């Protein structure tokens, strides 16, 4: 039973870590000389990586970019709040009840990161052939799966009645 | 107080930078501060230097009570004087802006004998679309969602607080029968409830700690206009305030602690199940 609690907690924490890395690090799209993302762009010049602003223009819509930023930040916030809510519910929940509110927070985090990753997939780098999706993008989708599983676990988990 | 004879510096104010949409009009303001009274020979001059060029041309001049606008240059028929020299305002209005109007406008004002001063410049930027400032959308989305979350939490706790205080209680059931004990208050004639309408009752659902039950029943009937003797019941509102027995959780604390697993975390973990 302790293993169960530890596993649930570890799953949640792993989700939080993946979300934080995906949001903070600038590596959603990479080419040989560019590592770019939702906050800024790293350009490799003469062997040095330079930190530059993201380009503006019709191929880089500003409003969608800010939507991706906002929803990935919200996903992190909901997941972190979810940890505290889960710990609080561990102590205060009545017997026989389910961890619904923790599940809701994780589900919201899952929803937000799905929105962020979907908008990014659909609106950015659509025609660029040389380049590949960086580790932040992949981590964002993995975090989506993990938070979804985590929220299902919270919806099914119960406190014993005896 | 004796005013010294030499002229003192005049200070000219314009904006720093102005943004405008393509095709719109913009008012470039220019004003000055001077220790002297506004003279009748006050003059205003505007010059324009396009972006990327080093020459400036004069586009407006006000002197001797007359305003002279550009009639040959890039702003012919587009420039208008909208200032009030008596109030030290030398503003001009540019109409129907184009991208070629990007540049720096310099205002120079002179208030004789106060002529020593530094002209002030305002930079004009013409946009096709007003650019979204970085982070505005991001911040507003995050703020709105978090604010909504806080609002929901506050409302939830407010409702729980009100229910616990017995201001009102929440449980909606359709025409069930309830046992009533204790005093009842009746007002006026009490006709039987209209069976065709489901009676909405509010019954106590709060957890509280004592055993007394109080029932307040309010029935509203309409005294009829004439034909029917007893009034017709339009609505019956029953408020039942119940305080239940205080009870601890079944089994109390000892239920799961009895097994041989010591430790606080183990006890916590043993409370979880999937079934």
């Amino acid at each position: 039973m302790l293993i169960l609690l530890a596993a649930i907690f570890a799953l949640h924490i792993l989700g939080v870590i993946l979300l934080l890395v995906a949001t903070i690090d600038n590596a959603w799209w990479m080419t040989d000389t560019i590592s770019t993302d939702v906050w800024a762009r790293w350009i490799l010049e003469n062997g040095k990586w330079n930190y530059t602003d993201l380009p503006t223009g019709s191929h880089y819509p500003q409003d969608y970019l800010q939507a991706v930023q906002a929803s990935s930040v919200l996903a992190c916030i909901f997941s972190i709040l979810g940890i505290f809510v889960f710990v609080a519910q561990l102590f205060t929940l009545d017997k026989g009840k389910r961890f619904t509110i923790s599940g809701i927070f994780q589900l919201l985090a899952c929803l937000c990161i799905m929105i962020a990753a979907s908008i990014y997939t659909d609106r950015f780098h659509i025609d660029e052939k040389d380049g590949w999706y960086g580790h932040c993008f992949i981590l964002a989708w993995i975090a989506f799966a993990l938070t979804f599983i985590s929220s299902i676990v919270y919806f099914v988990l119960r406190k014993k009645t005896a | 107080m004796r005013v010294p004879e030499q002229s003192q510096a005049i200070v000219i104010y314009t904006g720093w930078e102005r943004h405008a949409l393509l095709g719109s009009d913009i008012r470039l303001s220019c004003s000055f501060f001077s220790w002297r009274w506004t003279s009748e020979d006050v003059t205003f001059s505007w010059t324009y230097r396009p972006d990327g060029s080093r020459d400036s041309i004069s586009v407006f001049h006000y002197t001797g009570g007359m305003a002279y606008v550009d009639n040959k240059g890039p702003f012919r028929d587009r420039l208008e004087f909208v200032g009030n020299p008596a109030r030290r305002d030398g503003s001009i209005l540019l109409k129907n802006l184009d991208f070629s109007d990007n540049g720096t406008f310099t205002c120079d004002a002179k208030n004789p004998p106060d002529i020593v001063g530094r002209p002030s410049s305002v930079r004009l930027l013409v946009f096709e679309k007003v650019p979204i400032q970085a982070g505005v959308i991001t911040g507003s989305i995050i703020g709105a969602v978090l604010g909504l979350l806080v609002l929901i939490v506050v409302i939830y706790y407010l409702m729980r607080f009100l229910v616990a205080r017995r201001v009102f209680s929440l449980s909606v059931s359709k025409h069930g029968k309830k046992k009533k004990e204790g005093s009842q208050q009746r007002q006026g004639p009490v006709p039987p409830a209209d069976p065709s309408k489901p009676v909405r009752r509010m019954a106590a659902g709060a957890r509280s700690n004592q055993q007394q039950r109080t029932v307040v029943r309010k029935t509203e009937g309409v005294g009829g206009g004439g034909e029917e003797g007893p009034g017709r019941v339009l609505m019956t509102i029953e408020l039942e305030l119940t305080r239940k027995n205080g009870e601890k959780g079944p089994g109390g604390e000892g239920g799961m602690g009895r097994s041989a697993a010591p430790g606080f975390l183990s006890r916590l973990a043993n409370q979880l199940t999937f079934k």
Side-chain angles (χ1 to χ4, degrees):
Chain A
M1 281 304 128
L2 200 58
I3 300 182
L4 181 69
L5 180 64
I8 293 175
F9 205 68
L11 182 67
H12 196 145
I13 297 270
L14 188 63
V16 168
I17 294 178
L18 291 188
L19 281 173
L20 284 174
V21 171
T23 305
I24 297 177
D25 202 2
N26 287 300
W28 287 59
W29 175 263
M30 320 249 286
T31 68
D32 289 324
T33 51
I34 288 180
S35 169
T36 182
D37 161 63
V38 289
W39 302 107
R41 176 173 282 208
W42 288 96
I43 299 185
L44 179 66
E45 256 176 89
N46 304 329
K48 277 184 50 157
W49 285 98
N50 291 324
Y51 190 79
T52 62
D53 282 332
L54 289 171
T56 53
S58 59
H59 64 287
Y60 234 91
Q62 270 291 306
D63 27 14
Y64 285 114
L65 185 72
Q66 297 195 20
V68 173
Q69 289 174 343
S71 26
S72 51
V73 169
L74 275 176
C76 293
I77 292 179
F78 279 130
S79 206
I80 292 177
L81 284 180
I83 294 207
F84 293 113
V85 168
F86 174 58
V87 171
Q89 284 205 301
L90 261 186
F91 290 107
T92 65
L93 206 56
D94 292 334
K95 301 211 189 317
K97 293 275 180 76
R98 297 185 189 268
F99 290 80
T100 336
I101 304 190
S102 317
I104 288 180
F105 270 83
Q106 275 292 72
L107 198 64
L108 282 174
C110 172
L111 193 71
C112 285
I113 193 62
M114 184 191 74
I115 291 175
S118 310
I119 296 180
Y120 192 80
T121 317
D122 187 50
R123 291 279 154 181
F124 292 89
H125 311 291
I126 358 183
D127 292 325
E128 295 179 34
K129 295 279 190 306
D130 56 331
W132 57 92
Y133 281 113
H135 59 269
C136 288
F137 183 77
I138 299 176
L139 285 184
W141 283 112
I142 296 181
F144 158 71
L146 285 184
T147 46
F148 186 66
I149 295 175
S150 189
S151 73
I152 299 285
V153 165
Y154 286 134
F155 283 131
V156 172
L157 195 67
R158 243 182 359 105
K159 271 207 175 180
K160 284 187 189 161
T161 46
Chain B
M1 188 174 74
R2 225 166 55 95
V3 178
E5 286 302 324
Q6 80 230 42
S7 45
Q8 293 140 332
I10 186 176
V11 184
I12 303 178
Y13 304 108
T14 60
W16 179 255
E17 207 175 71
R18 288 276 177 268
H19 297 197
L21 283 180
L22 185 69
S24 67
D25 304 339
I26 191 163
R27 180 178 197 267
L28 299 172
S29 62
C30 176
S31 157
F32 67 87
F33 171 78
S34 162
W35 288 106
R36 303 230 164 216
W37 297 116
T38 310
S39 123
E40 285 156 3
D41 301 326
V42 63
T43 64
F44 287 96
S45 289
W46 280 94
T47 58
Y48 167 66
R49 180 168 59 85
D51 262 351
S53 158
R54 305 175 89 205
D55 306 321
S56 28
I57 65 169
S58 181
V59 294
F60 173 79
H61 192 66
Y62 174 91
T63 183
M66 289 281 296
Y68 302 93
V69 298
D70 177 17
N71 51 6
K72 292 185 177 44
F75 297 106
R76 64 173 156 272
D77 302 328
R78 287 200 292 148
L79 198 68
E80 193 185 317
F81 181 57
V82 294
N84 190 349
R87 290 178 191 259
R88 305 184 170 183
D89 178 13
S91 311
I92 53 172
L93 181 73
L94 258 66
K95 294 189 263 228
N96 199 12
L97 289 168
D98 187 35
F99 288 124
S100 58
D101 298 330
N102 274 306
T104 311
F105 289 81
T106 309
C107 176
D108 193 11
K110 300 201 186 311
N111 185 27
D114 219 353
I115 57 155
V116 178
R118 193 168 285 154
S120 168
S121 304
V122 53
R123 183 131 188 267
L124 179 66
L125 294 164
V126 180
F127 291 103
E128 186 179 298
K129 209 170 58 142
V130 180
I132 303 172
Q133 277 189 302
V136 163
I137 301 183
T138 310
S140 45
I141 293 179
I142 296 179
V145 172
L146 290 182
L148 200 65
L149 189 70
V150 167
L151 194 69
I152 291 177
V153 167
V154 162
I155 290 182
Y156 172 73
Y157 276 108
L158 197 67
M159 298 300 285
R160 258 180 55 165
F161 174 73
L162 288 179
V163 168
R165 279 293 206 96
R166 288 169 279 120
V167 172
F168 64 91
S169 46
L170 288 183
S171 135
V172 178
S173 65
K174 294 208 174 178
H175 64 86
K177 280 199 187 155
K178 292 222 80 171
K179 277 187 289 190
K180 293 183 258 297
E181 293 163 7
S183 62
Q184 288 189 0
Q185 271 180 5
R186 301 185 185 204
Q187 292 181 2
V190 184
D194 191 354
S196 62
K197 265 196 185 163
V199 171
R200 209 140 166 257
R201 299 200 200 180
M202 315 276 225
R207 343 171 221 157
S208 322
N209 274 332
Q210 293 172 27
Q211 205 167 7
Q212 187 187 337
R213 260 179 162 196
T214 313
V215 172
V216 171
R217 184 197 227 177
K218 267 191 180 175
T219 311
E220 305 208 21
V222 175
E227 305 97 358
E228 327 176 46
R232 246 184 342 160
V233 173
L234 292 186
M235 183 168 56
T236 306
I237 306 175
E238 286 181 12
L239 278 180
E240 190 173 292
L241 308 172
T242 312
R243 297 192 238 174
K244 284 202 225 164
N245 264 334
E247 33 188 1
K248 300 210 167 153
E253 292 292 326
M256 52 252 136
R258 294 266 173 77
S259 63
F264 171 68
L265 271 183
S266 307
R267 252 194 306 148
L268 213 54
N270 283 335
Q271 290 180 7
L272 304 176
T273 176
F274 280 112
K275 290 191 275 293

